[in-house]
């Protein structure tokens, strides 16, 4: 296109704007939630026998619901913004969004829907081995949460101990929803034992398990219900169990990162759980861990465990129009200490980092650095 | 208000958009149903480039490439929440030239 003055008019220049705020590219950005989807033939090539000879297709999951009917982008499924299945593809996206370090989560988002635990465990091994052999060597900027068979804690612990020595694994991927047993239940202690030995963070990511019946899910009709709002309630349920069933008293150094469960409910939750605890703590002594320890109460107030052990990834952040309200919400939810930036690329609600630096009246320089990378560095011992 | 020469009409194919730096502004220009529309390029939601969006609804709207925020090409208003609006600019074809007033 003509860039020179033309017929007496000022000339305008055709441009390809960078939608990422230039300040983002001057700061350290750690993306704590990026979904990685190696092609199925690649995963299959890493399957061990006898699974490789018997499993030809990625095991189908039931009642999968993706955002296509909601976002009217047919054919892209969950990967609204693209698909990355190799280390090189990951680096290309990181550069596009101004990200320095990424923590990959499995793009095969519904692994727990595989009905067979041995098949699921083999699938997890293949995924983790592919990361170790072909993805981690591409760049130290690429880290990952390992995939485990969450609903069988012994199989999950076996996998953590098998690959936990690879330092680019920084955590363990799990899902929460109304269909999962609370991750704070003592049944999962084999997982927490293994993570303690390797200093790994538990990522609790909103998920499904769609081939199991749930009145809550079966009564839903829209993506807004299933993915927009149900995770908020589910995150609260899982977090409460972690605290009052004594997870952090038994594993005081265990760190948890909740993902896609919302953040702004924290201010009410911390007050409410403390109030209920002080008023009616009697049955805490009857939980498995407290029975085993012979303890009657928690060691701290419930909200204190959140400040010490739990963090929250930000995507999809919601921002009120009134800046004063935004500032209050950030303060009430301890954003400077608890929030860890995430994009959730490539899913529908993918959240670039612009918002962190575009509200300087509410998010000052120090908080920007903390949210974008500093809090993740404190959270992950291996980062 | 300054008039800027952008390009020739054929430089923006029907059904597509382009971005132009016009003075201090970045303006997205769309060609839909034989007409040109110009509006601020930065989406009000998360800052995506609207010029990378998809023209939809029979050529009457533009959808943000990131999260589908959809704006009326005539008015610049969000079709769900009309209180949210991208700034519109006048654009015309004159003597085989696409001219932006911004």
């Amino acid at each position: 296109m003509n860039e020179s003055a033309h017929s007496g008019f000022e000339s305008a220049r055709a441009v390809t704007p960078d939608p990422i705020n230039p300040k983002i590219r001057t700061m350290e950005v750690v993306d704590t939630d990026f979904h990685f989807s190696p092609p199925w033939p690649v995963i299959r090539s890493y399957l061990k026998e006898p699974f490789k000879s018997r499993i030809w297709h990625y095991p189908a999951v039931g009642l999968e619901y993706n955002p296509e009917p909601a976002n009217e982008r047919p054919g892209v499924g969950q990967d609204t913004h693209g698909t990355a299945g190799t280390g090189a593809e990951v680096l290309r996206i990181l550069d596009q969004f101004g990200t320095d370090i990424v923590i990959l989560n499995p793009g095969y988002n519904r692994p727990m829907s595989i009905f067979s635990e041995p098949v699921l465990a083999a699938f997890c091994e293949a995924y983790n081995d592919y990361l170790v052999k072909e993805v981690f060597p591409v760049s130290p900027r690429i880290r990952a949460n390992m995939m485990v068979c969450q609903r069988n804690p012994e199989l999950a612990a076996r996998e953590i101990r098998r690959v936990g020595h690879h330092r680019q694994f920084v955590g363990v991927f799990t899902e929460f929803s109304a269909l999962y047993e609370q991750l704070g239940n003592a049944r999962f202690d084999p997982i927490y034992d293994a993570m303690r030995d390797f200093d790994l963070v538990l990522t609790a990511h909103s998920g499904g398990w769609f081939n199991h019946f749930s009145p809550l899910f079966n009564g839903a009709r829209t993506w807004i219900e299933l993915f927009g709002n149900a995770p908020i309630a589910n995150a609260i349920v899982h977090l409460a169990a972690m605290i009052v069933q004594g997870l952090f008293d038994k594993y005081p150094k265990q760190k948890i990162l909740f993902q896609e469960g919302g953040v702004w409910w924290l201010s009410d939750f911390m007050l409410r759980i403390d109030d209920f605890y002080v008023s009616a703590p009697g049955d805490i002594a009857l939980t498995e861990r407290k029975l085993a320890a012979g303890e009657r109460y928690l060691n701290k107030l419930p909200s204190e465990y959140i400040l010490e052990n739990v963090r929250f990834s930000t995507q999809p952040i919601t921002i009120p129009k009134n800046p004063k309200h935004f500032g209050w919400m950030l303060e009430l939810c301890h954003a400077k200490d608890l929030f860890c930036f995430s994009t959730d690329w490539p899913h529908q609600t993918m959240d670039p980092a612009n918002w962190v630096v575009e509200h300087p009246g509410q998010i000052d320089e120090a908080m920007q650095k903390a949210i974008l990378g500093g809090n993740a560095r404190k959270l992950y011992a291996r980062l | 208000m300054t008039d800027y020469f952008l390009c020739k009409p054929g430089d923006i194919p029907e059904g597509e958009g382009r971005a132009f730096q016009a003075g201090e502004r970045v303006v997205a220009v769309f060609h839909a149903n034989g007409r040109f529309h110009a509006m601020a390029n930065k989406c009000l939601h998360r800052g995506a480039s609207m010029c990378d969006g998809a023209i939809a609804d029979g050529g009457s709207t533009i959808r943000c490439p990131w999260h589908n925020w959809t704006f009326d090409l005539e008015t610049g208003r969000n079709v769900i929440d009309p209180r949210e609006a991208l700034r519109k600019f006048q654009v015309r074809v004159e003597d085989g030239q696409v001219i932006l007033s911004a």
Side-chain angles (χ1 to χ4, degrees):
Chain A
M1 296 181 197
N2 193 342
E3 294 183 8
S4 62
H6 203 273
S7 303
F9 299 113
E10 294 289 321
S11 62
R13 184 165 50 92
V15 291
T16 304
D18 180 359
I20 302 303
N21 188 302
K23 187 175 183 188
I24 296 296
R25 300 190 187 281
T26 69
M27 304 177 78
E28 184 183 54
V29 177
V30 178
D31 182 356
T32 59
D33 183 15
F34 179 113
H35 291 279
F36 182 62
S37 301
W40 163 246
V42 172
I43 294 293
R44 184 170 178 270
S45 74
Y46 278 87
L47 274 178
K48 293 193 172 79
E49 294 296 357
F51 302 99
K52 187 174 180 179
S53 300
R54 307 279 175 85
I55 307 292
W56 291 278
H57 302 285
Y58 177 64
V61 300
L63 298 176
E64 175 87 82
Y65 193 70
N66 68 54
E68 286 178 5
N71 67 17
E72 301 177 58
R73 296 189 189 191
V76 297
Q78 292 199 10
D79 290 352
T80 307
H81 300 283
T83 301
T86 67
E89 288 167 353
V90 170
L91 291 181
R92 181 176 58 80
I93 303 301
L94 300 191
D95 292 342
Q96 185 181 333
F97 285 95
T99 304
D100 296 289
I101 296 175
V102 70
I103 300 172
L104 304 180
N105 278 331
Y108 290 94
N109 255 28
R110 307 289 172 254
M112 294 308 128
S113 294
I114 297 174
F115 68 89
S116 163
E117 289 179 1
V119 171
L120 173 53
F123 182 83
C124 292
E125 285 185 29
Y127 174 84
N128 293 334
D129 285 345
Y130 171 61
L131 286 174
V132 169
K133 297 273 175 52
E134 297 194 42
V135 181
F136 290 159
V138 172
S139 172
R141 295 168 66 191
I142 302 177
R143 315 297 176 89
N145 291 313
M146 65 183 75
M147 185 189 276
V148 299
C149 179
Q150 170 181 343
R151 68 176 188 268
N152 184 322
E154 284 71 30
L155 287 178
R158 186 184 75 182
E159 181 64 3
I160 293 167
R161 295 185 190 285
R162 188 181 74 85
V163 296
H165 62 283
H166 292 284
R167 301 287 297 179
Q168 279 169 274
F169 282 122
V170 297
V172 172
F173 180 82
T174 62
E175 293 187 341
F176 65 83
S177 83
L179 293 169
Y180 290 89
E181 286 180 61
Q182 286 89 334
L183 288 162
N185 190 277
R187 194 172 82 77
F188 294 102
D189 279 0
I191 294 177
Y192 293 110
D193 286 334
M195 281 194 295
R196 178 180 54 194
D197 293 346
F198 291 92
D199 226 353
L200 295 164
V201 172
L202 181 86
T203 286
H205 186 288
S206 173
W209 192 355
F210 293 97
N211 58 353
H212 286 247
F213 176 80
S214 158
L216 192 66
F217 281 178
N218 286 31
R221 295 293 179 268
T222 67
W223 189 75
I224 294 170
E225 295 166 82
L226 281 171
F227 289 93
N229 290 288
I232 294 173
N234 298 329
I236 291 171
V237 169
H238 282 257
L239 176 55
M242 289 175 180
I243 295 169
V244 300
Q245 295 189 32
L247 173 66
F248 301 116
D249 288 340
K250 182 171 181 180
Y251 303 96
K253 292 184 177 175
Q254 181 63 54
K255 306 293 186 188
I256 310 283
L257 181 62
F258 271 88
Q259 301 199 308
E260 294 198 56
V263 289
W264 300 130
W265 46 265
L266 263 171
S267 57
D268 177 46
F269 177 80
M270 287 194 284
L271 291 171
R272 186 178 170 101
I273 195 168
D274 282 357
D275 192 68
F276 271 65
Y277 172 63
V278 173
S279 304
D283 52 2
I284 283 176
L286 307 181
T287 60
E288 290 90 336
R289 295 188 188 98
K290 290 299 175 186
L291 284 168
E295 294 172 351
R296 187 172 176 186
Y297 299 122
L298 300 175
N299 294 345
K300 303 174 188 173
L301 281 176
S303 62
E304 293 173 348
Y305 295 101
I306 295 174
L307 300 176
E308 198 157 312
N309 298 86
V310 187
R311 299 294 179 265
F312 301 85
S313 64
T314 53
Q315 172 279 337
I317 200 75
T318 49
I319 300 172
K321 290 190 191 334
N322 187 328
K324 191 166 63 177
H325 295 173
F326 189 34
W328 289 343
M329 291 158 75
L330 290 161
E331 183 176 341
L332 288 169
C333 294
H334 303 266
K336 186 178 178 183
D337 298 314
L338 302 190
F339 285 14
C340 295
F341 171 71
S342 63
T343 65
D344 191 40
W345 191 92
H347 294 161
Q348 163 64 22
T349 49
M350 180 273 298
D351 218 356
N354 292 348
W355 68 271
V356 181
V357 299
E358 292 183 348
H359 302 272
Q362 293 72 47
I363 306 178
D364 63 16
E365 189 86 8
M367 197 190 301
Q368 291 174 16
K369 288 179 180 172
I371 292 174
L372 287 175
N375 289 342
R377 285 224 175 258
K378 288 181 188 170
L379 176 69
Y380 288 96
R382 292 181 166 189
L383 212 55
Chain B
M1 194 71 72
T2 303
D3 283 346
Y4 294 91
F5 165 71
L6 301 183
C7 60
K8 294 177 180 174
D11 291 337
I12 306 177
E14 170 71 31
E16 294 188 15
R18 296 285 187 275
F20 294 88
Q21 183 82 44
E24 296 296 310
R25 294 193 179 92
V26 177
V27 176
V29 180
F30 301 99
H31 189 181
N33 294 333
R35 299 181 57 208
F36 289 88
H37 305 271
M39 58 180 61
N41 184 59
K42 186 175 178 177
C43 182
L44 299 169
H45 182 218
R46 287 289 189 271
S49 283
M50 293 303 298
C51 66
D52 295 329
I55 291 173
D57 300 315
S60 65
T61 64
I62 178 69
R63 286 186 185 174
C64 174
W66 282 354
H67 306 107
N68 274 24
W69 277 38
T70 303
F71 298 89
D72 187 291
L73 283 170
E74 291 285 350
T75 66
R77 295 188 182 281
N78 186 288
V79 298
I80 303 294
D81 182 357
R83 293 169 299 181
E84 301 277 3
L86 288 167
R87 181 169 178 182
K88 281 278 296 178
F89 298 96
Q90 294 296 317
V91 64
R92 65 186 188 275
V93 177
E94 186 177 302
D95 297 331
Q97 305 172 95
V98 181
I99 306 298
L100 170 75
S101 296

